[in-house]
Amino acid sequence: MNRTTNPTLKLILGDQLNCQHSWFAETRDDVVFVMMEVRQETDYVLHHAQKIIAIFAAMRDLARRLREGGHRVHYLTIDDPDNRQSMPANLDHLIAHYGAAAFRWQAPDEYRLDRQLADYAAGLSIPSTMDDTEHFYTDRDEAAGLFEGHDNWLMERFYRHMRVRHRVLVSETGKPAGGQWNFDHDNREAWKGMPWEPADLRGRHDHSELWKTIQAAGAQSFGQPNAGDFGWPLNRDEALEQLERFVQHALPHFGQFQDAMSFKAWRLFHSLLSFAMNSKMLDPRTVIERVEAAWRDGAVPLASAEGYIRQILGWREYVRGVYWHRMPGYDRLNVFNHTTPLPHWFWSGETRMRCMATAIGQSLEHAHSHHINRLMVIGNFSLLAGLSPYELHQWYLGVYIDAFEWVELPNTLGMSQYADGGLLATKPYVSSAAYIDRMSDYCKGCHYDKKARVGGRACPYNAMYWDFFERNRESLGKNNRLNMVYLQIKRMDGPTRQALRDQAAHTRATLADL
C-alpha cells in the first residue's frame, strides 16, 4: 500500500476494542489508527495486575487484526522508547511525525478522559472530531431526559422504557413476557452445592512475557497476575465462544442462583462477560439477542433470561446515564461523612471474617467477584464500618477487571455506599449476618458467631448494622422502606441498645484486627 502524507489520525482507547466499528469498514491509505499503552492509564489508580494484562493483550490483538486487514496502525507499547507515557504528549509527537491533517477520537466513557481529549482537541490547529463508540443503546443524556423533573431516578421505570423501546421480552402490544416485568423475587435462592457450576472452558493464554514487560516499565499493581494461565478473552471471537458456553451451560440456572455466594465456587452461573462488554469487544445487543433467543427456543427459563437481560439493558445503561448526569463531582459525595481508611487486609484478604476473606480473596485471585459479593459482603461491611467511599471507589475501580468509572462509580458511591444520599438507591443496602448466612456458606466455620451481637466472637456485621441506623436516624428515619428497622430498634431496651453501640464502636476502632 502506498503511504500518503498528511493522514487523519484516529485514536482507539483501551476500552474501545470494537472490531465491528464503522471506522474499520474500509481500508484507507489516508488513515492511521493510533493505540498506546501509557503509564497515564496504568497509574491514575492502583490496578489489579490482570486488568492491565487483559487490556494490553486485547489492544495488541486488535492492532494485529487491523494490520492483517490492511489498515495502518501506529501502536506504542509501554516500553517503546518513543512513548511519552501520556496521551497528549504522544499525540503531539505523532501528529508532528505524520504531518497529520486531522484528528479523530471515539467518545470516552470516563469523564476524566472525556475532558482531557476535548481540551486537547480544542487546542489543535488541525480539524478534530469526536465520533460515537457505536456500543450503547442510549446516548449519554438519554436517561436524564427520561427522568427530567424527578428527584429520584427509579431504575425499574427506565428498564421498562428500554424493554418497550427496543422490543426486548415484550409482545407485539408492548406487554411483558410472562405477564410481569421483573422476576427478581424468583431469583434469590441460595446454592447448596447442586447443580455444580459448569467447567471453566474459557480459552487460556500465556502472557508471561507481556507481564514481564509491564513490570519492567514500572507499572505498579496488586492481585495475582496469573499471566501464564490467563482466561480472559482477547477479542470478539473468544467472547462469542464464551457467550455461547454461558447460554448453554450456565444461563439455565443463572436466575435461580444469581444472588448466591459460595467459597467453593467463585463463578457459579455467572457469564464473566462484563470485561468483554465493557471493553467493547462484545456488543450488548449481541448478548441480549442471544439470551432472548435461548428463552424463545425453550432452552432457558424466563426468569433467568429476564434477570440477565435486566442487568445489561436495564442496570448497565441506567448507571451510565447516572454517571454522565452527575459528573463531575459525583465521586466526592459522602452524605454520611465516612472517612475511615480501608483496612490493610483489603489488599491481602487476610481477615478472620470468612465472608470478607472469601469475597476479597476471590477478587485478588481472579480480578472478579460477582455483584452480591461486591454489594452485600464488601460494600455492606464498608458502609457499616464507615470506610471512606472515595477510597473504596478507588479500590473497586482498581481491583475488578470489568471496572471502568462510568459503570463502577454509580455502583459504588450510589448503590453500595449510599454516599449520594439516595439519588440512585431507595435505601442503603446493608444487612446483618443473617442475610449473608441465608445466601452463602460463608458463616460455616467462621471465627465469628453469626448469631452473636456482642462479645469477642460476635459477627462484626451484627452490632454495626443496628448502630448504623441509630447513628443515621436523622437522615434515614423518615425513609418508608426502613420503617421496620426503626420499629425493631424502638422495641429494644436501653441497655441492649447501649451494648450494641459499644460493640460497634469497638469494632470500628479495631478494624485492622478483625
Side-chain angles (χ1 to χ4, degrees):
M1 178 186 294
N2 294 324
R3 298 302 191 216
T4 62
T5 57
N6 309 118
T8 294
L9 297 191
K10 293 187 175 183
L11 175 66
I12 303 171
L13 299 177
D15 64 344
Q16 296 176 342
L17 308 181
N18 176 13
C19 65
Q20 296 187 311
H21 195 278
S22 61
W23 271 9
F24 313 131
E26 60 177 329
T27 56
R28 296 177 60 102
D29 185 45
D30 59 350
V31 170
V32 176
F33 294 108
V34 174
M35 303 177 73
M36 58 181 82
E37 303 166 357
V38 284
R39 289 287 300 275
Q40 168 191 310
E41 293 305 289
T42 63
D43 295 2
Y44 75 94
V45 70
L46 185 65
H47 291 288
H48 196 292
Q50 289 182 43
K51 187 175 183 181
I52 301 173
I53 294 170
I55 292 173
F56 283 7
M59 288 172 64
R60 293 183 180 197
D61 188 85
L62 177 60
R64 175 184 62 81
R65 289 169 179 251
L66 290 177
R67 288 191 181 108
E68 290 176 352
H71 297 284
R72 298 176 66 182
V73 180
H74 193 113
Y75 193 101
L76 285 170
T77 60
I78 197 166
D79 60 343
D80 191 316
D82 287 335
N83 193 337
R84 274 74 171 166
Q85 301 300 342
S86 81
M87 287 188 190
N90 281 334
L91 289 171
D92 281 343
H93 170 69
L94 293 174
I95 287 172
H97 172 76
Y98 284 101
F103 171 61
R104 297 177 72 168
W105 73 103
Q106 293 178 30
D109 286 310
E110 296 195 356
Y111 182 85
R112 169 184 61 89
L113 289 175
D114 186 65
R115 294 318 313 153
Q116 182 184 50
L117 288 173
D119 292 345
Y120 175 78
L124 291 177
S125 60
I126 58 176
S128 58
T129 306
M130 185 177 78
D131 296 325
D132 189 71
T133 60
E134 303 173 4
H135 177 79
F136 295 97
Y137 281 88
T138 54
D139 296 328
R140 285 178 176 177
D141 59 353
E142 191 167 327
L146 178 66
F147 290 110
E148 187 174 1
H150 296 265
D151 293 332
N152 297 100
W153 289 22
L154 297 179
M155 197 284 285
E156 187 67 22
R157 181 186 170 201
F158 175 84
Y159 173 53
R160 295 182 185 188
H161 163 79
M162 294 291 286
R163 288 265 298 273
V164 173
R165 178 179 176 184
H166 297 284
R167 312 299 301 171
V168 176
L169 292 179
V170 294
S171 67
E172 291 296 325
T173 59
K175 300 297 182 181
Q180 61 190 72
W181 293 100
N182 188 315
F183 290 85
D184 195 41
H185 187 270
D186 300 330
N187 294 342
R188 296 176 179 172
E189 291 190 30
W191 181 69
K192 303 300 184 182
M194 291 298 291
W196 187 244
E197 69 174 358
D200 186 357
L201 299 177
R202 293 176 296 164
R204 319 308 289 191
H205 301 279
D206 187 346
H207 295 314
S208 301
E209 292 305 313
L210 173 58
W211 177 232
K212 291 177 183 177
T213 300
I214 292 169
Q215 289 181 297
Q220 300 299 305
S221 65
F222 70 116
Q224 298 182 28
N226 294 341
D229 185 32
F230 206 80
W232 297 102
L234 295 186
N235 51 57
R236 183 174 185 270
D237 292 340
E238 292 183 359
L240 287 173
E241 292 175 2
Q242 188 173 322
L243 170 62
E244 195 59 34
R245 286 191 294 269
F246 165 65
V247 169
Q248 291 184 20
H249 304 297
L251 181 58
H253 306 293
F254 168 80
Q256 184 180 4
F257 300 115
Q258 68 176 2
D259 288 358
M261 301 172 285
S262 176
F263 75 93
K264 300 175 185 176
W266 72 276
R267 292 174 291 108
L268 280 174
F269 305 99
H270 294 270
S271 69
L272 306 188
L273 288 170
S274 50
F275 168 67
M277 281 191 284
N278 292 353
S279 61
K280 300 181 184 60
M281 65 177 74
L282 186 60
D283 189 321
R285 292 169 183 79
T286 300
V287 178
I288 288 173
E289 288 168 4
R290 180 65 186 93
V291 170
E292 182 173 15
W295 166 68
R296 294 195 182 280
D297 291 342
V300 302
L302 177 57
S304 284
E306 186 279 317
Y308 190 78
I309 286 172
R310 182 170 5 111
Q311 291 190 0
I312 301 172
L313 186 65
W315 190 253
R316 186 173 186 263
E317 298 281 336
Y318 167 74
V319 297
R320 178 172 177 261
V322 171
Y323 177 79
W324 283 108
H325 183 63
R326 299 296 179 185
M327 287 297 281
Y330 191 72
D331 57 338
R332 294 292 182 173
L333 296 182
N334 189 356
V335 70
F336 298 121
N337 195 30
H338 287 170
T339 58
T340 302
L342 272 59
H344 65 89
W345 38 262
F346 265 70
W347 284 268
S348 69
E350 296 175 356
T351 170
R352 290 175 294 180
M353 291 181 289
R354 197 176 190 215
C355 58
M356 286 291 279
T358 302
I360 291 177
Q362 290 175 354
S363 304
L364 295 173
E365 181 178 357
H366 303 291
H368 189 279
S369 191
H370 75 71
H371 65 288
I372 298 299
N373 274 325
R374 300 189 199 193
L375 176 65
M376 295 307 298
V377 177
I378 301 172
N380 183 9
F381 177 88
S382 300
L383 180 53
L384 296 178
L387 303 188
S388 163
Y390 182 75
E391 286 191 27
L392 186 68
H393 148 60
Q394 290 187 305
W395 185 84
Y396 274 97
L397 183 59
V399 74
Y400 293 119
I401 197 165
D402 54 9
F404 297 91
E405 193 178 75
W406 66 269
V407 66
E408 174 274 328
L409 181 59
N411 273 295
T412 303
L413 266 289
M415 184 70 172
S416 172
Q417 299 304 289
Y418 202 76
D420 62 5
L423 297 175
L424 186 149
T426 56
K427 68 171 184 176
Y429 279 84
V430 292
S431 75
S432 65
Y435 173 84
I436 296 172
D437 184 47
R438 184 167 67 252
M439 296 307 300
S440 76
D441 52 15
Y442 294 159
C443 295
K444 297 173 183 176
C446 181
H447 170 81
Y448 296 101
D449 183 350
K450 65 187 179 184
K451 294 183 179 180
R453 293 180 175 182
V454 297
R457 298 292 289 271
C459 175
Y461 285 84
N462 291 337
M464 289 200 301
Y465 173 80
W466 296 110
D467 182 65
F468 170 78
F469 288 109
E470 280 264 51
R471 287 187 292 110
N472 296 292
R473 181 186 294 272
E474 183 176 345
S475 59
L476 299 176
K478 296 180 181 179
N479 187 321
N480 292 331
R481 296 197 67 191
L482 301 174
N483 287 342
M484 185 58 68
V485 174
Y486 283 103
L487 181 61
Q488 289 176 281
I489 292 175
K490 185 177 180 180
R491 290 171 177 168
M492 296 178 185
D493 59 38
T496 297
R497 291 163 70 174
Q498 186 60 51
L500 289 172
R501 284 194 291 268
D502 292 344
Q503 178 79 20
H506 175 73
T507 300
R508 292 197 303 272
T510 57
L511 294 178
D513 301 324
L514 292 178

